[in-house]
């Protein structure tokens, strides 16, 4: 478990949740992966921080929702008052009990409770957005390193579809996801191997998005961007790299009738369906 004494991530130090991917101890192999900071989170933070170079959106004063927040590193850094991003508030969601408890401790140790609100949400079990997230206030959804070969790409797409099409969401709500594109291998040992076994993690996710009428658009990452703990990004952006990093903006196509039905259900009214309209007949 990451200790409170390690909660000093900021700028180049980024000590929260060490070790890195390549430096894991064998004794930690059974620990939840959410107890570490992964390169995707560091890269997304730097991309958001260097917006004059990267074209990232201005998030100063904004309210964000993070999926799979893990250690809370990204949530705490983007909402740091003296930081380069300057978000007002982050709803940091996590579903794994041990990881969630650890994140709560770290947020408290940083004195960040006023700007980072931890929310238990296991979207692998349910895509329903927790009621204690005021989705109407959320300006942007963030996520990093959320896909692993053969795990929950479909469930992630379900959660995004629920978020982006919610009647509570602001019009045009979108998600920014920094993903690590892992090669196939090992998914055959899972309890329920997926039928597309043998494809890369991001390919699975993109297929799941297409099935749910989500629109993922890949955004360019500058190879010369300096990322603390990773050096320059160019080695992780090469398509031939073992695990390249890829950034996506995800939006949702909206079915007007479905949106109206969701709004009516939320208000307690009986939903109207297109096929329920009755033509007027001549007297």
């Amino acid at each position: 478990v990451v200790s409170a004494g390690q909660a000093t991530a900021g700028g180049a130090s980024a000590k929260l949740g060490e070790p890195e991917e390549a430096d894991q101890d064998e004794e930690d192999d059974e620990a939840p992966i959410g107890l570490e900071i992964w390169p995707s989170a560091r890269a997304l933070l730097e991309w958001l921080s260097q917006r004059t170079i990267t074209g990232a959106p201005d998030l100063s004063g904004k309210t964000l929702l993070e999926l799979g927040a893990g250690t809370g590193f990204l949530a705490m850094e983007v909402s740091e008052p003296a930081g380069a991003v300057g978000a007002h508030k982050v709803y940091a969601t996590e579903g794994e009990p041990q990881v969630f408890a650890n994140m709560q401790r770290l947020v408290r140790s940083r004195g960040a409770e006023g700007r980072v609100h931890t929310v238990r949400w296991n979207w692998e079990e349910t895509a329903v957005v927790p009621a204690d997230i005021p989705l109407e206030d959320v300006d942007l959804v963030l996520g990093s390193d959320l896909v692993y070969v053969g795990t929950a790409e479909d469930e992630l797409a379900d959660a995004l579809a629920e978020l982006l099409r919610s009647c509570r969401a602001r019009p045009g709500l979108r998600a920014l996801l920094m993903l690590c594109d892992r090669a196939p291998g090992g998914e055959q040992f899972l309890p329920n191997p997926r039928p597309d076994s043998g494809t890369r993690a991001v390919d699975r996710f993109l297929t799941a998005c297409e099935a749910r009428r989500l629109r993922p658009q890949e955004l360019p990452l500058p190879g010369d961007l300096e990322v603390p703990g990773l050096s320059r990004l160019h080695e992780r952006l090469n398509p031939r790299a073992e695990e390249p990093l890829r950034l996506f903006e995800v939006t949702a196509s909206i079915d007007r009738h479905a949106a109206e039905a969701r709004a009516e259900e939320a208000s307690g009214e009986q939903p109207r369906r297109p096929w329920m309209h009755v033509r007027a007949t001549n007297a």
Side-chain angles (χ1 to χ4, degrees):
V1 176
V2 180
S3 69
Q6 290 176 291
T8 57
S13 60
K15 298 296 183 183
L16 183 68
E18 300 289 359
E20 293 274 11
E21 283 179 300
D23 300 322
Q24 296 178 61
D25 297 326
E26 290 185 7
E27 63 184 8
D28 293 331
D29 286 347
E30 299 302 318
I33 57 178
L35 296 179
E36 304 175 32
I37 299 174
W38 295 86
S40 296
R42 298 178 192 264
L44 181 54
L45 173 62
E46 197 64 23
W47 187 84
L48 292 170
S49 300
Q50 303 291 336
R51 63 188 188 87
T52 57
I53 299 172
T54 62
D58 182 2
L59 299 181
S60 57
K62 302 296 186 181
T63 297
L64 313 177
L65 168 62
E66 185 183 3
L67 296 174
T71 63
F73 163 77
L74 183 61
M76 288 189 280
E77 291 301 303
V78 298
S79 62
E80 172 62 47
V85 180
H88 170 63
K89 184 180 297 183
V90 182
Y91 290 91
T93 70
E94 177 57 52
E96 209 284 330
Q98 183 181 351
V99 176
F100 181 71
N102 189 57
M103 177 173 64
Q104 287 184 307
R105 286 192 293 270
L106 291 171
V107 169
R108 286 195 299 268
S109 73
R110 283 278 297 271
E113 304 101 314
R115 52 190 172 87
V116 177
H117 297 257
T118 58
V119 180
R120 178 81 184 278
W121 181 20
N122 189 339
W123 40 262
E124 293 187 32
E125 295 180 355
T126 176
V128 177
V129 183
D132 49 349
I133 296 177
L135 198 50
E136 61 277 6
D137 295 337
V138 173
D139 297 293
L140 183 69
V141 178
L142 293 178
S144 63
D145 217 338
L146 297 174
V147 297
Y148 303 84
V149 172
T151 53
E153 297 88 357
D154 287 329
E155 289 81 358
L156 173 59
D158 285 336
L160 287 170
E162 187 72 18
L163 281 166
L164 303 184
R165 292 197 179 101
S166 172
C167 63
R168 296 194 289 129
R170 293 185 173 184
L173 181 64
R174 58 198 172 117
L176 280 175
L177 306 179
M178 183 74 76
L179 304 179
C180 180
D181 194 5
R182 292 177 170 84
E187 66 272 20
Q188 67 271 22
F189 299 109
L190 293 169
N192 298 299
R194 298 300 168 93
D196 56 347
S197 178
T199 56
R200 296 185 70 92
V202 169
D203 289 338
R204 290 175 183 263
F205 172 65
L206 296 178
T207 299
C209 286
E210 182 180 1
R212 292 153 181 81
R213 295 183 297 111
L214 296 174
R215 298 169 177 167
Q217 177 183 357
E218 189 160 9
L219 303 180
L221 290 169
D224 58 351
L225 189 67
E226 293 278 359
V227 179
L230 292 181
S231 188
R232 294 180 183 270
L233 268 181
H234 68 275
E235 293 183 359
R236 296 299 297 267
L237 299 182
N238 188 330
R240 292 186 295 275
E242 184 178 356
E243 295 184 343
L245 298 182
R246 301 174 66 183
L247 177 64
F248 292 90
E249 178 184 72
V250 183
T251 57
S253 59
I254 302 296
D255 182 308
R256 182 174 59 85
H257 294 302
E260 290 175 353
R262 284 172 179 260
E264 289 163 357
E265 288 168 356
S267 67
E269 297 179 13
Q270 180 65 32
R272 294 190 302 272
R273 308 296 185 193
W275 57 84
M276 291 176 63
H277 294 296
V278 180
R279 292 184 179 179
T281 57
N282 293 327

